[in-house]
């Protein structure tokens, strides 16, 4: 589908046009659909979809927008970026985990069929499909979210205390 046709198809869902992108914003979350650059005029049209909110919300918006148009997902990337974590911190943490297998000492690991790549002080959790395969979007998003949650730094407040309530 051409970008202008997609824009017309999504008008009822209150997407707004920003340059070449279509965006939907609510409560600090953004869902953006961006066409790939330099695409052939005759072949299939490809789009990149970004979402910075809850996984289930992103899945719902995907299905509501371009999922119902027959879109096929070929790759999923989740970027973890924390200002206090360096590339070496990520590599050290992944090396401690027996479930992660190191592919390259510069920061490439595999966890089952999910790739973990350390780049510029960020960790990228990636799922790629092979040619002629289909990605099970919901299951893959859950799998990536589980890994994201496990690798995200945990915050503990040692000075907090529970409040006792008498009923």
């Amino acid at each position: 589908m051409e970008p202008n046709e997609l824009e017309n198809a999504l008008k009822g869902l209150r997407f707004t046009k920003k340059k070449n992108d279509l965006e939907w914003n609510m409560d600090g979350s953004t869902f953006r659909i961006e066409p790939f650059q330099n695409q052939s005029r005759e072949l299939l049209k490809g789009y990149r979809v970004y979402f910075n909110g809850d996984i289930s919300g992103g899945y719902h918006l995907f299905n509501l927008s371009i999922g119902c148009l027959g879109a096929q997902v070929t790759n999923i990337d989740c970027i973890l970026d924390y200002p206090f974590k360096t590339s070496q911190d990520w590599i050290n943490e992944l090396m401690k985990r027996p479930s992660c297998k190191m592919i390259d000492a510069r920061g490439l690991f595999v966890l089952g069929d999910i790739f973990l790549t350390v780049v510029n002080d960020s960790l990228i959790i990636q799922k790629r499909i092979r040619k002629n395969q289909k990605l099970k979007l919901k299951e893959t998003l859950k799998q990536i979210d589980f890994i994201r949650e496990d690798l995200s730094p945990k915050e503990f407040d040692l000075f907090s205390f529970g409040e006792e309530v008498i009923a």
Side-chain angles (χ1 to χ4, degrees):
M1 182 177 281
E2 291 288 334
N4 58 350
E5 294 172 11
L6 182 62
E7 180 183 356
N8 289 333
L10 297 179
K11 271 187 180 172
L13 298 176
R14 298 187 183 189
F15 275 84
T16 56
K17 177 124 171 135
K18 304 222 174 162
K19 293 185 181 180
N20 293 331
D21 307 342
L22 295 170
E23 270 191 13
W24 184 90
N25 294 295
M26 182 173 278
D27 298 333
S29 294
T30 302
F31 184 87
R32 184 177 5 162
I33 303 169
E34 171 185 300
F36 287 138
Q37 300 297 319
N38 305 321
Q39 296 189 66
S40 169
R41 295 192 187 274
E42 298 84 34
L43 298 176
L44 294 173
K45 300 298 175 192
Y47 294 90
R48 184 171 284 124
V49 176
Y50 296 97
F51 186 67
N52 68 347
D54 179 63
I55 291 287
S56 59
Y59 176 74
H60 177 71
L61 284 170
F62 178 84
N63 281 336
L64 191 64
S65 59
I66 62 177
C68 63
L69 300 174
Q72 181 181 358
V73 178
T74 57
N75 306 314
I76 297 176
D77 292 355
C78 176
I79 302 170
L80 297 181
D81 189 21
Y82 297 102
F84 54 87
K85 280 220 172 215
T86 65
S87 292
Q88 194 58 49
D89 292 336
W90 284 116
I91 291 171
N92 291 342
E93 184 170 337
L94 294 173
M95 286 176 60
K96 289 183 215 172
R97 295 171 180 265
S99 57
C100 290
K101 179 182 173 193
M102 182 188 292
I103 304 294
D104 188 307
R106 292 173 288 184
L108 183 60
F109 295 82
V110 67
L111 179 63
D113 60 349
I114 303 288
F115 286 95
L116 305 166
T117 309
V118 179
V119 179
N120 298 329
D121 295 338
S122 297
L123 177 68
I124 304 171
I125 305 169
Q126 306 172 325
K127 172 70 175 190
R128 305 276 187 252
I129 60 166
R130 293 189 176 113
K131 195 173 186 169
N132 299 325
Q133 285 186 332
K134 288 196 175 194
L135 186 85
K136 295 178 180 175
L137 184 59
K138 190 170 190 174
E139 291 82 13
T140 304
L141 285 173
K142 284 181 180 179
Q143 184 181 15
I144 286 175
D145 194 42
F146 179 77
I147 294 168
R148 179 203 57 80
E149 191 174 292
D150 187 42
L151 293 172
S152 294
K154 311 293 185 269
E155 291 184 26
F156 297 101
D157 184 1
L158 296 176
F159 301 105
S160 67
F161 59 92
E163 186 176 317
E164 190 173 318
V165 178
I166 299 173

mmCIF file of all heavy atoms in Angstrom, residues 1-12 17 22 41 45 47 65-66 69:
data_model
loop_
_atom_site.group_PDB
_atom_site.id
_atom_site.type_symbol
_atom_site.label_atom_id
_atom_site.label_comp_id
_atom_site.label_asym_id
_atom_site.label_seq_id
_atom_site.Cartn_x
_atom_site.Cartn_y
_atom_site.Cartn_z
ATOM 1 N N MET A 1 0.851 -1.166 0.000
ATOM 2 C CA MET A 1 0.000 0.000 0.000
ATOM 3 C C MET A 1 0.901 1.235 0.000
ATOM 4 O O MET A 1 1.842 1.324 0.785
ATOM 5 C CB MET A 1 -0.910 -0.010 1.233
ATOM 6 C CG MET A 1 -1.859 1.142 1.298
ATOM 7 S SD MET A 1 -2.973 1.054 2.714
ATOM 8 C CE MET A 1 -4.154 -0.134 2.125
ATOM 9 N N GLU A 2 0.579 2.163 -0.867
ATOM 10 C CA GLU A 2 1.322 3.420 -0.941
ATOM 11 C C GLU A 2 1.110 4.236 0.332
ATOM 12 O O GLU A 2 0.047 4.148 0.953
ATOM 13 C CB GLU A 2 0.837 4.239 -2.142
ATOM 14 C CG GLU A 2 1.187 3.650 -3.490
ATOM 15 C CD GLU A 2 2.666 3.769 -3.815
ATOM 16 O OE1 GLU A 2 3.336 4.685 -3.293
ATOM 17 O OE2 GLU A 2 3.152 2.938 -4.587
ATOM 18 N N PRO A 3 2.090 5.050 0.739
ATOM 19 C CA PRO A 3 1.945 5.856 1.962
ATOM 20 C C PRO A 3 0.709 6.760 1.972
ATOM 21 O O PRO A 3 0.050 6.890 3.008
ATOM 22 C CB PRO A 3 3.232 6.689 1.997
ATOM 23 C CG PRO A 3 4.229 5.844 1.272
ATOM 24 C CD PRO A 3 3.440 5.142 0.197
ATOM 25 N N ASN A 4 0.354 7.357 0.838
ATOM 26 C CA ASN A 4 -0.840 8.216 0.826
ATOM 27 C C ASN A 4 -2.121 7.394 0.980
ATOM 28 O O ASN A 4 -3.088 7.855 1.586
ATOM 29 C CB ASN A 4 -0.880 9.106 -0.415
ATOM 30 C CG ASN A 4 -0.854 8.314 -1.710
ATOM 31 O OD1 ASN A 4 -0.624 7.107 -1.709
ATOM 32 N ND2 ASN A 4 -1.073 8.992 -2.815
ATOM 33 N N GLU A 5 -2.149 6.171 0.448
ATOM 34 C CA GLU A 5 -3.296 5.285 0.635
ATOM 35 C C GLU A 5 -3.405 4.854 2.102
ATOM 36 O O GLU A 5 -4.498 4.780 2.656
ATOM 37 C CB GLU A 5 -3.170 4.038 -0.244
ATOM 38 C CG GLU A 5 -3.239 4.309 -1.733
ATOM 39 C CD GLU A 5 -2.925 3.063 -2.551
ATOM 40 O OE1 GLU A 5 -2.855 1.954 -1.974
ATOM 41 O OE2 GLU A 5 -2.746 3.210 -3.770
ATOM 42 N N LEU A 6 -2.257 4.573 2.732
ATOM 43 C CA LEU A 6 -2.240 4.193 4.145
ATOM 44 C C LEU A 6 -2.735 5.354 5.009
ATOM 45 O O LEU A 6 -3.514 5.146 5.932
ATOM 46 C CB LEU A 6 -0.832 3.778 4.568
ATOM 47 C CG LEU A 6 -0.672 3.319 6.014
ATOM 48 C CD1 LEU A 6 -1.525 2.078 6.285
ATOM 49 C CD2 LEU A 6 0.784 3.041 6.326
ATOM 50 N N GLU A 7 -2.316 6.568 4.671
ATOM 51 C CA GLU A 7 -2.771 7.739 5.422
ATOM 52 C C GLU A 7 -4.287 7.872 5.353
ATOM 53 O O GLU A 7 -4.948 8.106 6.365
ATOM 54 C CB GLU A 7 -2.113 9.002 4.863
ATOM 55 C CG GLU A 7 -2.516 10.259 5.575
ATOM 56 C CD GLU A 7 -1.912 11.504 4.951
ATOM 57 O OE1 GLU A 7 -1.109 11.393 4.007
ATOM 58 O OE2 GLU A 7 -2.259 12.599 5.419
ATOM 59 N N ASN A 8 -4.857 7.683 4.181
ATOM 60 C CA ASN A 8 -6.317 7.746 4.036
ATOM 61 C C ASN A 8 -7.010 6.625 4.806
ATOM 62 O O ASN A 8 -8.064 6.838 5.404
ATOM 63 C CB ASN A 8 -6.713 7.700 2.563
ATOM 64 C CG ASN A 8 -6.369 8.981 1.835
ATOM 65 O OD1 ASN A 8 -6.298 10.052 2.444
ATOM 66 N ND2 ASN A 8 -6.131 8.880 0.538
ATOM 67 N N ALA A 9 -6.411 5.439 4.798
ATOM 68 C CA ALA A 9 -7.019 4.301 5.495
ATOM 69 C C ALA A 9 -7.015 4.494 7.009
ATOM 70 O O ALA A 9 -7.903 3.988 7.698
ATOM 71 C CB ALA A 9 -6.279 3.011 5.125
ATOM 72 N N LEU A 10 -6.046 5.258 7.534
ATOM 73 C CA LEU A 10 -5.912 5.414 8.983
ATOM 74 C C LEU A 10 -6.470 6.730 9.516
ATOM 75 O O LEU A 10 -6.356 7.007 10.710
ATOM 76 C CB LEU A 10 -4.434 5.289 9.390
ATOM 77 C CG LEU A 10 -3.778 3.939 9.106
ATOM 78 C CD1 LEU A 10 -2.321 3.956 9.537
ATOM 79 C CD2 LEU A 10 -4.524 2.812 9.782
ATOM 80 N N LYS A 11 -7.091 7.527 8.661
ATOM 81 C CA LYS A 11 -7.639 8.813 9.110
ATOM 82 C C LYS A 11 -8.672 8.650 10.218
ATOM 83 O O LYS A 11 -8.707 9.432 11.155
ATOM 84 C CB LYS A 11 -8.261 9.569 7.938
ATOM 85 C CG LYS A 11 -7.284 10.446 7.231
ATOM 86 C CD LYS A 11 -7.959 11.311 6.200
ATOM 87 C CE LYS A 11 -6.917 12.163 5.518
ATOM 88 N NZ LYS A 11 -7.429 12.891 4.398
ATOM 89 N N GLY A 12 -9.496 7.648 10.145
ATOM 90 C CA GLY A 12 -10.531 7.432 11.148
ATOM 91 C C GLY A 12 -9.979 7.069 12.524
ATOM 92 O O GLY A 12 -10.683 7.169 13.515
ATOM 93 N N LYS A 17 -0.273 13.184 10.443
ATOM 94 C CA LYS A 17 0.854 13.118 9.505
ATOM 95 C C LYS A 17 1.958 14.038 10.005
ATOM 96 O O LYS A 17 1.721 15.196 10.298
ATOM 97 C CB LYS A 17 0.385 13.548 8.126
ATOM 98 C CG LYS A 17 1.485 13.578 7.111
ATOM 99 C CD LYS A 17 1.148 12.715 5.954
ATOM 100 C CE LYS A 17 2.179 12.947 4.875
ATOM 101 N NZ LYS A 17 2.638 11.769 4.295
ATOM 102 N N LEU A 22 3.248 8.607 10.065
ATOM 103 C CA LEU A 22 1.918 8.715 10.661
ATOM 104 C C LEU A 22 2.079 8.403 12.139
ATOM 105 O O LEU A 22 2.673 7.386 12.498
ATOM 106 C CB LEU A 22 0.954 7.720 10.012
ATOM 107 C CG LEU A 22 0.654 7.963 8.538
ATOM 108 C CD1 LEU A 22 -0.106 6.783 7.950
ATOM 109 C CD2 LEU A 22 -0.142 9.235 8.365
ATOM 110 N N ARG A 41 9.119 1.333 -6.763
ATOM 111 C CA ARG A 41 7.734 1.750 -7.021
ATOM 112 C C ARG A 41 6.832 0.562 -7.361
ATOM 113 O O ARG A 41 5.636 0.633 -7.178
ATOM 114 C CB ARG A 41 7.689 2.766 -8.152
ATOM 115 C CG ARG A 41 8.392 4.063 -7.813
ATOM 116 C CD ARG A 41 8.058 5.120 -8.849
ATOM 117 N NE ARG A 41 8.837 6.312 -8.651
ATOM 118 C CZ ARG A 41 8.506 7.294 -7.839
ATOM 119 N NH1 ARG A 41 7.416 7.211 -7.128
ATOM 120 N NH2 ARG A 41 9.268 8.352 -7.729
ATOM 121 N N LYS A 45 5.393 -2.464 -0.490
ATOM 122 C CA LYS A 45 5.828 -1.318 0.293
ATOM 123 C C LYS A 45 6.117 -1.770 1.724
ATOM 124 O O LYS A 45 5.334 -2.486 2.323
ATOM 125 C CB LYS A 45 4.758 -0.216 0.308
ATOM 126 C CG LYS A 45 4.423 0.303 -1.069
ATOM 127 C CD LYS A 45 5.636 0.943 -1.719
ATOM 128 C CE LYS A 45 5.335 1.358 -3.133
ATOM 129 N NZ LYS A 45 6.519 1.715 -3.872
ATOM 130 N N TYR A 47 7.219 -0.817 5.792
ATOM 131 C CA TYR A 47 7.080 0.214 6.813
ATOM 132 C C TYR A 47 7.782 -0.225 8.081
ATOM 133 O O TYR A 47 7.866 -1.410 8.380
ATOM 134 C CB TYR A 47 5.594 0.471 7.125
ATOM 135 C CG TYR A 47 4.855 1.069 5.963
ATOM 136 C CD1 TYR A 47 4.227 0.257 5.024
ATOM 137 C CD2 TYR A 47 4.786 2.447 5.805
ATOM 138 C CE1 TYR A 47 3.561 0.804 3.947
ATOM 139 C CE2 TYR A 47 4.115 3.005 4.731
ATOM 140 C CZ TYR A 47 3.511 2.180 3.804
ATOM 141 O OH TYR A 47 2.848 2.729 2.731
ATOM 142 N N SER A 65 -4.445 -0.893 13.271
ATOM 143 C CA SER A 65 -4.022 -0.044 12.164
ATOM 144 C C SER A 65 -3.609 -0.878 10.949
ATOM 145 O O SER A 65 -4.438 -1.197 10.106
ATOM 146 C CB SER A 65 -2.902 0.898 12.604
ATOM 147 O OG SER A 65 -1.783 0.168 13.078
ATOM 148 N N ILE A 66 -2.351 -1.264 10.866
ATOM 149 C CA ILE A 66 -1.899 -1.943 9.648
ATOM 150 C C ILE A 66 -1.996 -3.461 9.720
ATOM 151 O O ILE A 66 -1.865 -4.128 8.698
ATOM 152 C CB ILE A 66 -0.474 -1.511 9.250
ATOM 153 C CG1 ILE A 66 0.546 -1.865 10.306
ATOM 154 C CG2 ILE A 66 -0.434 -0.040 8.939
ATOM 155 C CD1 ILE A 66 1.960 -1.523 9.908
ATOM 156 N N LEU A 69 -4.682 -4.762 7.586
ATOM 157 C CA LEU A 69 -4.456 -4.552 6.159
ATOM 158 C C LEU A 69 -3.597 -5.661 5.550
ATOM 159 O O LEU A 69 -3.194 -5.577 4.405
ATOM 160 C CB LEU A 69 -3.791 -3.187 5.921
ATOM 161 C CG LEU A 69 -4.585 -1.975 6.391
ATOM 162 C CD1 LEU A 69 -3.763 -0.712 6.238
ATOM 163 C CD2 LEU A 69 -5.898 -1.859 5.637
#
